[in-house]
Amino acid sequence: RARQLGRNRVEWYDDELEEQFTRRLDLERELPGAAQRGELDLVYQPVVDLATTQPVGTEALLRWRSPALGTVLPNELLPVAEDLSLLEELGRWVLDAACRQISVWSQRPRELWMSVNISPKELAAPDFISWVGMALAEHNVAAERLVLEIGEPRGGVDVPAVITQLAALRAMGVRTALDDFGSGQASLAQLRRLPVDFLKVDRTLVTEGGSRNGESKPFIDVVVGLGKRFGLEIIAEGLESPDHVEQARSAGCRLGQGYGLSRPGPAERVEAYLEEFPSPSR
Ligand code: C2E
Ligand code: MG
Ligand code: MG
Ligand code: MG
């Protein structure tokens, strides 16, 4: 055992590993049935027109309110869900809950669209398209109100199927987005291949300027220029300060999201945020 070696570093590493292992077991034990037990929740982050600061849409983000483990964030819970083959079940819960919320918000004078994140694996499933159609129909939501965001397909995902499915969604009137572009996850090759309407510029590109400190501008400029050449609507992610907002705006991003504009929160918080803006006259 590492402890017997008497080396602090090794001992710490051992404890750390044990903690990770226990956490993983806890997650695997608690996650099955979370949807049926009503433990899943969505928070929403406004997407804002950077010129006017008017909200134009929201992004739905999954939260798991586990009685045993507290709130678990998607980056921790999704890999576990994938290993337990629960991605599809979670994805269906998310889509249904998001469509229900769109339908509530469609009563408002300003019609927002809603972005929903889906994993490329979920998207590639043969019955995904009909499932989306059913969720829209059930909640009486127009396809134009829904945007589906995917990150770069990783190993084991059928990329031709992803392309076909994205095209089918667009044919239905659902818009699509490539998430986290510029993070090294979503690459140029994907931009060329995937039929999407929105390009979401990863927050590292705005806040850290890609790789070189203090030289963010050339990187954002290139990505925005590229997106525009492909006819895409650009959304800058992770705008944490007025400086970030100004950088994104001056680089030509029309839309943005981030803590500096509005944090993700429950539906009521988004509604309160919307109240701050006068209704459009159109
Ligand atoms: P994403 O789609 O790129 O979402 C943006 C993430 O950045 C969210 O984290 C959001 O809370 C956070 N964020 C927003 N503004 C800022 C900011 O100004 N600064 C910083 N540092 N962060 C900001 P979250 O909710 O933890 O989600 C993480 C990722 O998990 C998402 O990244 C998305 O890829 C995935 N995800 C979230 N909800 C779902 C879901 O329902 N289904 C699937 N398949 N994936 C989801
Ligand atoms: Mg997203
Ligand atoms: Mg993103
Ligand atoms: Mg992200």
Side-chain angles (χ1 to χ4, degrees):
R1 225 175 114 75
R3 194 177 298 275
Q4 289 164 348
L5 296 176
R7 290 175 57 189
N8 286 339
R9 195 179 60 81
V10 173
E11 191 175 310
W12 171 81
Y13 185 65
D14 187 53
D15 289 348
E16 177 96 333
L17 265 186
E18 194 174 312
E19 207 170 285
Q20 280 176 18
F21 186 69
T22 310
R23 173 74 175 173
R24 178 75 190 200
L25 289 181
D26 288 345
L27 291 163
E28 289 183 2
R29 189 188 60 242
E30 299 293 329
L31 185 58
Q36 296 89 308
R37 294 191 301 271
E39 296 169 11
L40 300 182
D41 191 16
L42 290 180
V43 291
Y44 307 90
Q45 183 175 41
V47 180
V48 165
D49 183 328
L50 296 179
T52 63
T53 75
Q54 299 266 354
V56 294
T58 59
E59 178 174 9
L61 298 161
L62 179 61
R63 298 292 180 262
W64 173 24
R65 316 290 185 193
S66 163
L69 305 172
T71 293
V72 184
L73 295 172
N75 288 336
E76 188 177 23
L77 108 85
L78 291 169
V80 180
E82 179 162 6
D83 284 357
L84 298 180
S85 301
L86 293 173
L87 272 186
E88 191 183 346
E89 188 185 322
L90 288 185
R92 290 186 173 197
W93 183 90
V94 169
L95 198 59
D96 183 70
C99 286
R100 175 172 298 129
Q101 189 61 57
I102 302 174
S103 132
V104 171
W105 281 339
S106 68
Q107 315 300 321
R108 305 183 61 86
R110 186 199 319 283
E111 292 231 352
L112 304 172
W113 42 260
M114 172 125 34
S115 267
V116 173
N117 293 279
I118 49 170
S119 69
K121 223 179 211 156
E122 238 179 292
L123 174 66
D127 59 353
F128 183 76
I129 304 295
S130 62
W131 176 259
V132 173
M134 276 159 52
L136 291 171
E138 182 170 340
H139 296 284
N140 197 20
V141 165
E144 294 69 37
R145 294 281 141 235
L146 183 64
V147 177
L148 293 177
E149 301 191 357
I150 63 156
E152 176 169 35
R154 309 270 185 88
V157 175
D158 181 354
V159 175
V162 165
I163 294 171
T164 309
Q165 299 281 73
L166 287 173
L169 288 167
R170 294 177 85 197
M172 281 168 65
V174 172
R175 284 172 297 168
T176 59
L178 181 56
D179 212 346
D180 304 328
F181 190 79
S183 64
Q185 306 283 344
S187 69
L188 265 187
Q190 304 300 344
L191 181 59
R192 279 176 50 209
R193 297 171 76 180
L194 302 177
V196 292
D197 301 288
F198 292 91
L199 187 63
K200 301 197 73 169
V201 178
D202 194 69
R203 77 185 151 88
T204 54
L205 212 66
V206 182
T207 59
E208 292 158 28
S211 54
R212 293 187 211 196
N213 272 346
E215 278 195 69
S216 58
K217 196 151 171 16
F219 290 94
I220 307 174
D221 285 351
V222 164
V223 167
V224 171
L226 200 63
K228 287 186 171 167
R229 283 282 291 276
F230 281 91
L232 305 179
E233 181 87 84
I234 319 285
I235 305 176
E237 295 189 298
L239 306 178
E240 291 179 349
S241 66
D243 266 7
H244 292 159
V245 172
E246 182 46 33
Q247 275 170 43
R249 208 192 50 74
S250 68
C253 297
R254 191 174 76 83
L255 306 175
Q257 304 173 242
Y259 298 162
L261 293 160
S262 184
R263 285 183 174 262
E268 307 80 65
R269 265 246 299 285
V270 174
E271 285 160 18
Y273 182 76
L274 291 176
E275 299 303 334
E276 295 170 25
F277 296 91
S279 300
S281 44
R282 280 177 287 135

